[in-house]
Amino acid sequence: MAAGRDFILRGIDGEVVMLNLLRLRETADYSGAPELAPETPISGREAYDRYIAHTRPFLAASGGHLDLVAEGGAFLIGPPDERWDLVMLVRQKDTETFLSFEQDGAYMAGTGHRTAAIEDSRLLPLKVVAPQG
């Protein structure tokens, strides 16, 4: 995948923050992960909340942090027909840690909640240029 290669070649030193823009389905679609499907249909937001709950322990164990989960909506400045329901900032200490976290088999077992929840998304790696605080 060219985007993954370009991310690695970017050579971000130190902390990396992933900006997640998420458009959620009205009803979660578990057709790709029926083993995770609840008995009755749930919303995309509920499915994404399940994904966050599944992911937090793996993120913490890798030294990462979920810095922000916020409700989005329509842009103040931007395309009027584009909306993002949730915005997240996920911090990792470096690119290598992020890639290891993303490839953990136990973590991957719960990513079907994310897939079921999301209609569309964007992931933008950010290089931290100023310390927190």
Side-chain angles (χ1 to χ4, degrees):
M1 175 189 217
R5 183 194 72 235
D6 292 345
F7 169 60
I8 293 168
L9 292 176
R10 190 170 161 193
I12 297 174
D13 291 330
E15 286 187 322
V16 60
V17 175
M18 293 294 181
L19 168 64
N20 293 259
L21 300 176
L22 308 164
R23 184 172 311 125
L24 302 173
R25 299 177 198 275
E26 187 172 321
T27 303
D29 176 5
Y30 278 95
S31 61
E35 71 283 1
L36 296 175
E39 290 186 24
T40 59
I42 61 174
S43 69
R45 177 60 191 263
E46 290 170 303
Y48 204 81
D49 287 345
R50 289 177 183 211
Y51 168 71
I52 290 173
H54 170 78
T55 301
R56 279 183 186 265
F58 297 101
L59 186 60
S62 72
H65 303 278
L66 182 56
D67 287 352
L68 174 75
V69 178
E71 290 185 6
F75 283 104
L76 180 60
I77 299 173
D81 59 340
E82 190 173 314
R83 75 169 211 292
W84 299 104
D85 300 313
L86 284 179
V87 176
M88 291 184 9
L89 294 174
V90 179
R91 183 178 304 268
Q92 280 287 1
K93 64 182 178 178
D94 54 37
T95 301
E96 184 177 298
T97 303
F98 171 75
L99 294 172
S100 295
F101 165 77
E102 287 288 314
Q103 295 173 5
D104 181 293
Y107 158 74
M108 292 297 293
T111 60
H113 291 300
R114 182 183 193 283
T115 304
I118 292 178
E119 179 181 308
D120 196 7
S121 66
R122 302 289 184 272
L123 182 61
L124 179 62
L126 305 172
K127 178 180 178 172
V128 177
V129 296
Q132 287 182 324

